PDB file of all heavy atoms in Angstrom:
ATOM      1  N   ALA A   1      43.169  88.197  59.993  1.00 96.00           N
ATOM      2  CA  ALA A   1      42.508  87.072  59.332  1.00 96.00           C
ATOM      3  C   ALA A   1      41.002  87.248  59.473  1.00 96.00           C
ATOM      4  O   ALA A   1      40.505  87.662  60.517  1.00 96.00           O
ATOM      5  CB  ALA A   1      42.942  85.757  59.974  1.00 96.00           C
ATOM      6  N   GLY A   2      40.283  86.948  58.408  1.00 97.00           N
ATOM      7  CA  GLY A   2      38.834  87.106  58.418  1.00 97.00           C
ATOM      8  C   GLY A   2      38.352  88.455  57.938  1.00 97.00           C
ATOM      9  O   GLY A   2      37.137  88.674  57.840  1.00 97.00           O
ATOM     10  N   ALA A   3      39.282  89.381  57.643  1.00 98.00           N
ATOM     11  CA  ALA A   3      38.883  90.703  57.165  1.00 98.00           C
ATOM     12  C   ALA A   3      38.108  90.577  55.860  1.00 98.00           C
ATOM     13  O   ALA A   3      38.525  89.879  54.938  1.00 98.00           O
ATOM     14  CB  ALA A   3      40.106  91.586  56.971  1.00 98.00           C
ATOM     15  N   VAL A   4      36.980  91.240  55.789  1.00 98.00           N
ATOM     16  CA  VAL A   4      36.119  91.246  54.601  1.00 98.00           C
ATOM     17  C   VAL A   4      36.327  92.592  53.920  1.00 98.00           C
ATOM     18  O   VAL A   4      36.018  93.640  54.496  1.00 98.00           O
ATOM     19  CB  VAL A   4      34.651  91.035  55.006  1.00 98.00           C
ATOM     20  CG1 VAL A   4      33.727  91.200  53.810  1.00 98.00           C
ATOM     21  CG2 VAL A   4      34.471  89.656  55.638  1.00 98.00           C
ATOM     22  N   SER A   5      36.872  92.570  52.715  1.00 98.00           N
ATOM     23  CA  SER A   5      37.351  93.800  52.088  1.00 98.00           C
ATOM     24  C   SER A   5      36.850  93.942  50.661  1.00 98.00           C
ATOM     25  O   SER A   5      36.458  92.963  50.006  1.00 98.00           O
ATOM     26  CB  SER A   5      38.888  93.823  52.092  1.00 98.00           C
ATOM     27  OG  SER A   5      39.405  93.636  53.392  1.00 98.00           O
ATOM     28  N   VAL A   6      36.902  95.186  50.170  1.00 98.00           N
ATOM     29  CA  VAL A   6      36.527  95.496  48.796  1.00 98.00           C
ATOM     30  C   VAL A   6      37.545  96.459  48.205  1.00 98.00           C
ATOM     31  O   VAL A   6      38.164  97.253  48.919  1.00 98.00           O
ATOM     32  CB  VAL A   6      35.113  96.127  48.725  1.00 98.00           C
ATOM     33  CG1 VAL A   6      34.042  95.102  49.048  1.00 98.00           C
ATOM     34  CG2 VAL A   6      34.991  97.323  49.672  1.00 98.00           C
ATOM     35  N   ALA A   7      37.705  96.379  46.886  1.00 97.00           N
ATOM     36  CA  ALA A   7      38.563  97.316  46.161  1.00 97.00           C
ATOM     37  C   ALA A   7      38.217  97.207  44.687  1.00 97.00           C
ATOM     38  O   ALA A   7      37.981  96.103  44.183  1.00 97.00           O
ATOM     39  CB  ALA A   7      40.044  97.030  46.384  1.00 97.00           C
ATOM     40  N   GLY A   8      38.191  98.345  44.000  1.00 96.00           N
ATOM     41  CA  GLY A   8      37.811  98.325  42.598  1.00 96.00           C
ATOM     42  C   GLY A   8      36.424  97.754  42.452  1.00 96.00           C
ATOM     43  O   GLY A   8      35.475  98.201  43.096  1.00 96.00           O
ATOM     44  N   ARG A   9      36.297  96.710  41.646  1.00 95.00           N
ATOM     45  CA  ARG A   9      35.035  95.984  41.488  1.00 95.00           C
ATOM     46  C   ARG A   9      35.175  94.560  42.006  1.00 95.00           C
ATOM     47  O   ARG A   9      34.541  93.639  41.516  1.00 95.00           O
ATOM     48  CB  ARG A   9      34.636  95.961  40.011  1.00 95.00           C
ATOM     49  CG  ARG A   9      34.246  97.321  39.433  1.00 95.00           C
ATOM     50  CD  ARG A   9      32.928  97.808  39.975  1.00 95.00           C
ATOM     51  NE  ARG A   9      32.447  99.024  39.299  1.00 95.00           N
ATOM     52  CZ  ARG A   9      31.348  99.681  39.641  1.00 95.00           C
ATOM     53  NH1 ARG A   9      30.612  99.255  40.661  1.00 95.00           N
ATOM     54  NH2 ARG A   9      30.987 100.767  38.986  1.00 95.00           N
ATOM     55  N   GLN A  10      36.018  94.387  43.039  1.00 96.00           N
ATOM     56  CA  GLN A  10      36.273  93.051  43.575  1.00 96.00           C
ATOM     57  C   GLN A  10      36.008  93.002  45.075  1.00 96.00           C
ATOM     58  O   GLN A  10      35.978  94.025  45.762  1.00 96.00           O
ATOM     59  CB  GLN A  10      37.713  92.629  43.295  1.00 96.00           C
ATOM     60  CG  GLN A  10      38.019  92.375  41.827  1.00 96.00           C
ATOM     61  CD  GLN A  10      39.445  91.909  41.633  1.00 96.00           C
ATOM     62  OE1 GLN A  10      40.392  92.667  41.822  1.00 96.00           O
ATOM     63  NE2 GLN A  10      39.607  90.647  41.265  1.00 96.00           N
ATOM     64  N   ALA A  11      35.839  91.775  45.561  1.00 97.00           N
ATOM     65  CA  ALA A  11      35.646  91.515  46.985  1.00 97.00           C
ATOM     66  C   ALA A  11      36.537  90.352  47.386  1.00 97.00           C
ATOM     67  O   ALA A  11      36.889  89.507  46.555  1.00 97.00           O
ATOM     68  CB  ALA A  11      34.177  91.183  47.274  1.00 97.00           C
ATOM     69  N   VAL A  12      36.879  90.282  48.680  1.00 97.00           N
ATOM     70  CA  VAL A  12      37.785  89.236  49.146  1.00 97.00           C
ATOM     71  C   VAL A  12      37.607  89.042  50.642  1.00 97.00           C
ATOM     72  O   VAL A  12      37.079  89.918  51.346  1.00 97.00           O
ATOM     73  CB  VAL A  12      39.258  89.604  48.816  1.00 97.00           C
ATOM     74  CG1 VAL A  12      39.768  90.709  49.746  1.00 97.00           C
ATOM     75  CG2 VAL A  12      40.174  88.384  48.868  1.00 97.00           C
ATOM     76  N   ILE A  13      38.034  87.864  51.124  1.00 97.00           N
ATOM     77  CA  ILE A  13      38.163  87.603  52.556  1.00 97.00           C
ATOM     78  C   ILE A  13      39.619  87.227  52.799  1.00 97.00           C
ATOM     79  O   ILE A  13      40.196  86.448  52.030  1.00 97.00           O
ATOM     80  CB  ILE A  13      37.266  86.446  53.025  1.00 97.00           C
ATOM     81  CG1 ILE A  13      35.852  86.579  52.485  1.00 97.00           C
ATOM     82  CG2 ILE A  13      37.245  86.373  54.555  1.00 97.00           C
ATOM     83  CD1 ILE A  13      35.000  85.338  52.728  1.00 97.00           C
ATOM     84  N   ALA A  14      40.222  87.751  53.861  1.00 96.00           N
ATOM     85  CA  ALA A  14      41.619  87.431  54.172  1.00 96.00           C
ATOM     86  C   ALA A  14      41.692  86.151  55.004  1.00 96.00           C
ATOM     87  O   ALA A  14      41.167  86.122  56.118  1.00 96.00           O
ATOM     88  CB  ALA A  14      42.266  88.576  54.940  1.00 96.00           C
ATOM     89  N   PRO A  15      42.322  85.077  54.499  1.00 95.00           N
ATOM     90  CA  PRO A  15      42.448  83.858  55.303  1.00 95.00           C
ATOM     91  C   PRO A  15      43.491  83.965  56.412  1.00 95.00           C
ATOM     92  O   PRO A  15      43.455  83.208  57.370  1.00 95.00           O
ATOM     93  CB  PRO A  15      42.888  82.807  54.276  1.00 95.00           C
ATOM     94  CG  PRO A  15      42.634  83.415  52.936  1.00 95.00           C
ATOM     95  CD  PRO A  15      42.806  84.893  53.132  1.00 95.00           C
ATOM     96  N   ALA A  16      44.454  84.904  56.270  1.00 94.00           N
ATOM     97  CA  ALA A  16      45.552  84.994  57.224  1.00 94.00           C
ATOM     98  C   ALA A  16      45.938  86.456  57.415  1.00 94.00           C
ATOM     99  O   ALA A  16      45.621  87.312  56.581  1.00 94.00           O
ATOM    100  CB  ALA A  16      46.764  84.201  56.726  1.00 94.00           C
ATOM    101  N   VAL A  17      46.618  86.740  58.504  1.00 95.00           N
ATOM    102  CA  VAL A  17      47.117  88.090  58.776  1.00 95.00           C
ATOM    103  C   VAL A  17      48.140  88.466  57.704  1.00 95.00           C
ATOM    104  O   VAL A  17      49.047  87.678  57.395  1.00 95.00           O
ATOM    105  CB  VAL A  17      47.760  88.170  60.167  1.00 95.00           C
ATOM    106  CG1 VAL A  17      48.336  89.564  60.416  1.00 95.00           C
ATOM    107  CG2 VAL A  17      46.743  87.817  61.244  1.00 95.00           C
ATOM    108  N   ALA A  18      47.994  89.657  57.122  1.00 94.00           N
ATOM    109  CA  ALA A  18      48.917  90.094  56.073  1.00 94.00           C
ATOM    110  C   ALA A  18      48.735  91.589  55.847  1.00 94.00           C
ATOM    111  O   ALA A  18      47.716  92.165  56.219  1.00 94.00           O
ATOM    112  CB  ALA A  18      48.655  89.338  54.769  1.00 94.00           C
ATOM    113  N   PRO A  19      49.729  92.247  55.237  1.00 95.00           N
ATOM    114  CA  PRO A  19      49.539  93.644  54.843  1.00 95.00           C
ATOM    115  C   PRO A  19      48.446  93.738  53.781  1.00 95.00           C
ATOM    116  O   PRO A  19      48.151  92.758  53.081  1.00 95.00           O
ATOM    117  CB  PRO A  19      50.907  94.031  54.250  1.00 95.00           C
ATOM    118  CG  PRO A  19      51.852  92.989  54.732  1.00 95.00           C
ATOM    119  CD  PRO A  19      51.066  91.741  54.900  1.00 95.00           C
ATOM    120  N   GLY A  20      47.829  94.917  53.642  1.00 94.00           N
ATOM    121  CA  GLY A  20      46.780  95.049  52.633  1.00 94.00           C
ATOM    122  C   GLY A  20      46.355  96.479  52.402  1.00 94.00           C
ATOM    123  O   GLY A  20      46.347  97.291  53.333  1.00 94.00           O
ATOM    124  N   GLY A  21      45.982  96.775  51.167  1.00 96.00           N
ATOM    125  CA  GLY A  21      45.522  98.103  50.807  1.00 96.00           C
ATOM    126  C   GLY A  21      44.058  98.160  50.423  1.00 96.00           C
ATOM    127  O   GLY A  21      43.554  99.196  49.985  1.00 96.00           O
ATOM    128  N   TRP A  22      43.346  97.029  50.575  1.00 97.00           N
ATOM    129  CA  TRP A  22      41.919  97.018  50.281  1.00 97.00           C
ATOM    130  C   TRP A  22      41.151  97.658  51.440  1.00 97.00           C
ATOM    131  O   TRP A  22      41.635  97.738  52.565  1.00 97.00           O
ATOM    132  CB  TRP A  22      41.442  95.577  50.089  1.00 97.00           C
ATOM    133  CG  TRP A  22      41.937  94.930  48.824  1.00 97.00           C
ATOM    134  CD1 TRP A  22      43.196  94.996  48.297  1.00 97.00           C
ATOM    135  CD2 TRP A  22      41.178  94.117  47.933  1.00 97.00           C
ATOM    136  NE1 TRP A  22      43.271  94.264  47.137  1.00 97.00           N
ATOM    137  CE2 TRP A  22      42.045  93.710  46.884  1.00 97.00           C
ATOM    138  CE3 TRP A  22      39.861  93.671  47.908  1.00 97.00           C
ATOM    139  CZ2 TRP A  22      41.622  92.897  45.835  1.00 97.00           C
ATOM    140  CZ3 TRP A  22      39.446  92.853  46.868  1.00 97.00           C
ATOM    141  CH2 TRP A  22      40.317  92.476  45.840  1.00 97.00           C
ATOM    142  N   ARG A  23      39.931  98.084  51.170  1.00 98.00           N
ATOM    143  CA  ARG A  23      39.083  98.708  52.191  1.00 98.00           C
ATOM    144  C   ARG A  23      38.378  97.628  53.007  1.00 98.00           C
ATOM    145  O   ARG A  23      37.596  96.847  52.490  1.00 98.00           O
ATOM    146  CB  ARG A  23      38.043  99.602  51.522  1.00 98.00           C
ATOM    147  CG  ARG A  23      38.632 100.692  50.633  1.00 98.00           C
ATOM    148  CD  ARG A  23      39.095 101.891  51.434  1.00 98.00           C
ATOM    149  NE  ARG A  23      39.643 102.934  50.550  1.00 98.00           N
ATOM    150  CZ  ARG A  23      39.864 104.187  50.914  1.00 98.00           C
ATOM    151  NH1 ARG A  23      39.597 104.563  52.152  1.00 98.00           N
ATOM    152  NH2 ARG A  23      40.369 105.059  50.064  1.00 98.00           N
ATOM    153  N   VAL A  24      38.659  97.614  54.294  1.00 98.00           N
ATOM    154  CA  VAL A  24      38.083  96.608  55.190  1.00 98.00           C
ATOM    155  C   VAL A  24      36.746  97.131  55.716  1.00 98.00           C
ATOM    156  O   VAL A  24      36.695  98.142  56.424  1.00 98.00           O
ATOM    157  CB  VAL A  24      39.029  96.302  56.366  1.00 98.00           C
ATOM    158  CG1 VAL A  24      38.406  95.265  57.290  1.00 98.00           C
ATOM    159  CG2 VAL A  24      40.384  95.824  55.852  1.00 98.00           C
ATOM    160  N   ILE A  25      35.651  96.443  55.369  1.00 98.00           N
ATOM    161  CA  ILE A  25      34.322  96.889  55.800  1.00 98.00           C
ATOM    162  C   ILE A  25      33.723  95.975  56.863  1.00 98.00           C
ATOM    163  O   ILE A  25      32.666  96.295  57.418  1.00 98.00           O
ATOM    164  CB  ILE A  25      33.357  97.017  54.610  1.00 98.00           C
ATOM    165  CG1 ILE A  25      33.156  95.672  53.909  1.00 98.00           C
ATOM    166  CG2 ILE A  25      33.874  98.065  53.617  1.00 98.00           C
ATOM    167  CD1 ILE A  25      32.068  95.709  52.832  1.00 98.00           C
ATOM    168  N   GLY A  26      34.384  94.861  57.146  1.00 98.00           N
ATOM    169  CA  GLY A  26      33.861  93.958  58.160  1.00 98.00           C
ATOM    170  C   GLY A  26      34.845  92.841  58.435  1.00 98.00           C
ATOM    171  O   GLY A  26      35.955  92.803  57.891  1.00 98.00           O
ATOM    172  N   GLN A  27      34.438  91.916  59.292  1.00 98.00           N
ATOM    173  CA  GLN A  27      35.285  90.770  59.619  1.00 98.00           C
ATOM    174  C   GLN A  27      34.404  89.583  59.954  1.00 98.00           C
ATOM    175  O   GLN A  27      33.367  89.721  60.609  1.00 98.00           O
ATOM    176  CB  GLN A  27      36.201  91.093  60.802  1.00 98.00           C
ATOM    177  CG  GLN A  27      37.232  90.005  61.114  1.00 98.00           C
ATOM    178  CD  GLN A  27      38.181  90.414  62.243  1.00 98.00           C
ATOM    179  OE1 GLN A  27      38.142  91.546  62.717  1.00 98.00           O
ATOM    180  NE2 GLN A  27      39.021  89.494  62.676  1.00 98.00           N
ATOM    181  N   THR A  28      34.800  88.410  59.478  1.00 98.00           N
ATOM    182  CA  THR A  28      34.105  87.190  59.850  1.00 98.00           C
ATOM    183  C   THR A  28      34.857  86.477  60.964  1.00 98.00           C
ATOM    184  O   THR A  28      36.094  86.467  60.966  1.00 98.00           O
ATOM    185  CB  THR A  28      33.946  86.238  58.638  1.00 98.00           C
ATOM    186  OG1 THR A  28      33.270  85.041  59.071  1.00 98.00           O
ATOM    187  CG2 THR A  28      35.288  85.858  58.027  1.00 98.00           C
ATOM    188  N   PRO A  29      34.145  85.874  61.904  1.00 97.00           N
ATOM    189  CA  PRO A  29      34.817  85.110  62.951  1.00 97.00           C
ATOM    190  C   PRO A  29      35.242  83.720  62.486  1.00 97.00           C
ATOM    191  O   PRO A  29      35.953  83.025  63.216  1.00 97.00           O
ATOM    192  CB  PRO A  29      33.745  85.005  64.038  1.00 97.00           C
ATOM    193  CG  PRO A  29      32.440  85.065  63.294  1.00 97.00           C
ATOM    194  CD  PRO A  29      32.690  85.990  62.134  1.00 97.00           C
ATOM    195  N   LEU A  30      34.834  83.314  61.286  1.00 97.00           N
ATOM    196  CA  LEU A  30      35.172  81.984  60.800  1.00 97.00           C
ATOM    197  C   LEU A  30      36.661  81.868  60.498  1.00 97.00           C
ATOM    198  O   LEU A  30      37.309  82.837  60.110  1.00 97.00           O
ATOM    199  CB  LEU A  30      34.377  81.654  59.535  1.00 97.00           C
ATOM    200  CG  LEU A  30      32.853  81.641  59.636  1.00 97.00           C
ATOM    201  CD1 LEU A  30      32.253  81.177  58.315  1.00 97.00           C
ATOM    202  CD2 LEU A  30      32.374  80.765  60.788  1.00 97.00           C
ATOM    203  N   THR A  31      37.191  80.650  60.647  1.00 96.00           N
ATOM    204  CA  THR A  31      38.574  80.354  60.275  1.00 96.00           C
ATOM    205  C   THR A  31      38.582  79.754  58.877  1.00 96.00           C
ATOM    206  O   THR A  31      37.984  78.701  58.635  1.00 96.00           O
ATOM    207  CB  THR A  31      39.200  79.364  61.266  1.00 96.00           C
ATOM    208  OG1 THR A  31      39.273  79.979  62.559  1.00 96.00           O
ATOM    209  CG2 THR A  31      40.605  78.967  60.826  1.00 96.00           C
ATOM    210  N   LEU A  32      39.256  80.451  57.938  1.00 96.00           N
ATOM    211  CA  LEU A  32      39.320  79.972  56.564  1.00 96.00           C
ATOM    212  C   LEU A  32      40.495  79.039  56.347  1.00 96.00           C
ATOM    213  O   LEU A  32      40.380  78.030  55.651  1.00 96.00           O
ATOM    214  CB  LEU A  32      39.439  81.147  55.591  1.00 96.00           C
ATOM    215  CG  LEU A  32      38.177  81.942  55.246  1.00 96.00           C
ATOM    216  CD1 LEU A  32      37.611  82.694  56.442  1.00 96.00           C
ATOM    217  CD2 LEU A  32      38.459  82.913  54.103  1.00 96.00           C
ATOM    218  N   LEU A  33      41.634  79.384  56.916  1.00 93.00           N
ATOM    219  CA  LEU A  33      42.876  78.660  56.677  1.00 93.00           C
ATOM    220  C   LEU A  33      43.130  77.676  57.813  1.00 93.00           C
ATOM    221  O   LEU A  33      43.190  78.066  58.972  1.00 93.00           O
ATOM    222  CB  LEU A  33      44.038  79.650  56.570  1.00 93.00           C
ATOM    223  CG  LEU A  33      45.431  79.067  56.362  1.00 93.00           C
ATOM    224  CD1 LEU A  33      45.544  78.432  54.984  1.00 93.00           C
ATOM    225  CD2 LEU A  33      46.492  80.158  56.526  1.00 93.00           C
ATOM    226  N   ASP A  34      43.290  76.407  57.470  1.00 90.00           N
ATOM    227  CA  ASP A  34      43.542  75.364  58.468  1.00 90.00           C
ATOM    228  C   ASP A  34      44.725  74.535  57.992  1.00 90.00           C
ATOM    229  O   ASP A  34      44.631  73.789  57.009  1.00 90.00           O
ATOM    230  CB  ASP A  34      42.295  74.496  58.624  1.00 90.00           C
ATOM    231  CG  ASP A  34      42.486  73.378  59.640  1.00 90.00           C
ATOM    232  OD1 ASP A  34      43.543  73.341  60.303  1.00 90.00           O
ATOM    233  OD2 ASP A  34      41.580  72.535  59.768  1.00 90.00           O
ATOM    234  N   VAL A  35      45.865  74.650  58.688  1.00 84.00           N
ATOM    235  CA  VAL A  35      47.085  73.959  58.245  1.00 84.00           C
ATOM    236  C   VAL A  35      46.968  72.447  58.370  1.00 84.00           C
ATOM    237  O   VAL A  35      47.750  71.701  57.782  1.00 84.00           O
ATOM    238  CB  VAL A  35      48.315  74.451  59.040  1.00 84.00           C
ATOM    239  CG1 VAL A  35      48.592  75.910  58.746  1.00 84.00           C
ATOM    240  CG2 VAL A  35      48.120  74.230  60.541  1.00 84.00           C
TER     241      VAL A  35
END
């Protein structure tokens, strides 16, 4: 969770732990997902 990734011409932040094929270039300590 918090992985900051890029792929193609897009960018994303992962709110939760999950599989992924994007390139992870960093991580934020912030919590995005709050149940």
